[in-house]
Amino acid sequence: VRDVAAGRSRGSRGDGESHQPWKEKILKILAEIQAPLSPLVLRLCSWALLKLLNRLFLSVQLHRGQLEMVLRAARTPGVPLVFLSTHKSQLDGLLLSFILFSQGLGVPRVAVGSQVCSPGLRALLSRLGGIFLPSRMEQTPSNRDNELPGAVLATYVEEVLKSQQPLLIFLEEPPVALCLSTPAREWLALVYRAMRDGAVPDVLLVPVGIAYDVVP
């Protein structure tokens, strides 16, 4: 991040005052990507989600064999978990987060795709573990103006993996199934880059998913 900012500000005085605008830009980009988890909001939303599930579905069933495999993977020492999932419904992120959290796996950071979110919904999802591509990268994925947002995002993903927070990536965007989405490519490339650059020695990819009798 510092290298990219220094490259853009080449020719400036190089003192603390000239770097202040870059610090502000970096903090603004980071705020677009994530927000600190809120235990109070997590508890309230867990309670509300239970009420919602009781109204939407007759039952929610966990496959015990698959759950045991996920728990065994979580016990692997020193290796961050990256959950990969198909995307059947907009409820998938909340459901999978709730299930993983209820099984003692912590609150995963959920890579939210390109679906349009209001500022209020985006702020709420961020407090629940949602992470987003910076807005400039969402609009122009290959533009050179994205060097600084891209560097901040890459560093953030490295820190998530190094701290062994679970990361959940949806591979597709509903209603388009069986097609790797553009945001998924971005997130997977960031995970690969973190391994390639030696930020983490290894990553454990764990497939997870939800099946519905009727997709809500």
Side-chain angles (χ1 to χ4, degrees):
V1 172
R2 193 178 294 118
D3 290 344
V4 172
R8 286 187 159 209
S9 58
R10 195 168 291 144
S12 64
R13 295 193 306 272
D15 56 15
E17 185 178 336
S18 66
H19 284 106
Q20 188 61 32
W22 292 110
K23 291 179 182 178
E24 293 173 0
K25 285 185 178 181
I26 289 165
L27 290 174
K28 184 177 178 181
I29 293 166
L30 187 60
E32 285 188 345
I33 296 170
Q34 61 95 47
L37 294 174
S38 169
L40 175 61
V41 174
L42 282 167
R43 284 195 292 269
L44 286 173
C45 284
S46 294
W47 173 83
L49 188 59
L50 277 174
K51 299 290 185 184
L52 177 65
L53 292 178
N54 285 330
R55 290 185 175 274
L56 277 181
F57 305 115
L58 291 176
S59 65
V60 177
Q61 300 174 2
L62 294 180
H63 190 292
R64 287 294 171 187
Q66 292 177 358
L67 180 59
E68 180 54 39
M69 291 175 65
V70 172
L71 293 174
R72 197 182 322 141
R75 290 194 288 267
T76 305
V79 181
L81 292 179
V82 177
F83 297 109
L84 302 179
S85 177
T86 57
H87 208 174
K88 305 298 183 187
S89 159
Q90 301 296 350
L91 279 176
D92 288 358
L94 287 173
L95 272 171
L96 281 172
S97 295
F98 174 72
I99 291 169
L100 295 171
F101 179 60
S102 68
Q103 298 301 313
L105 295 173
V107 180
R109 288 291 184 173
V110 182
V112 180
S114 58
Q115 60 261 35
V116 178
C117 293
S118 67
L121 179 58
R122 188 170 179 136
L124 175 62
L125 292 177
S126 295
R127 290 291 184 177
L128 295 173
I131 54 177
F132 299 80
L133 294 174
S135 55
R136 197 179 299 171
M137 291 184 67
E138 288 178 345
Q139 295 160 5
T140 53
S142 59
N143 196 312
R144 191 178 179 277
D145 289 340
N146 295 331
E147 287 179 357
L148 185 61
V152 175
L153 181 63
T155 305
Y156 173 74
V157 171
E158 287 181 3
E159 292 302 317
V160 167
L161 296 175
K162 284 196 286 189
S163 63
Q164 295 189 36
Q165 297 179 64
L167 178 62
L168 172 59
I169 299 174
F170 289 105
L171 301 178
E172 57 195 19
E173 292 283 329
V176 181
L178 302 179
C179 180
L180 188 64
S181 68
T182 300
R185 291 180 191 272
E186 293 275 356
W187 292 111
L188 291 171
L190 290 165
V191 172
Y192 168 74
R193 176 178 168 178
M195 278 191 58
R196 183 198 65 191
D197 294 348
V200 288
D202 200 2
V203 170
L204 203 54
L205 301 179
V206 182
V208 295
I210 294 179
Y212 300 94
D213 290 336
V214 179
V215 177

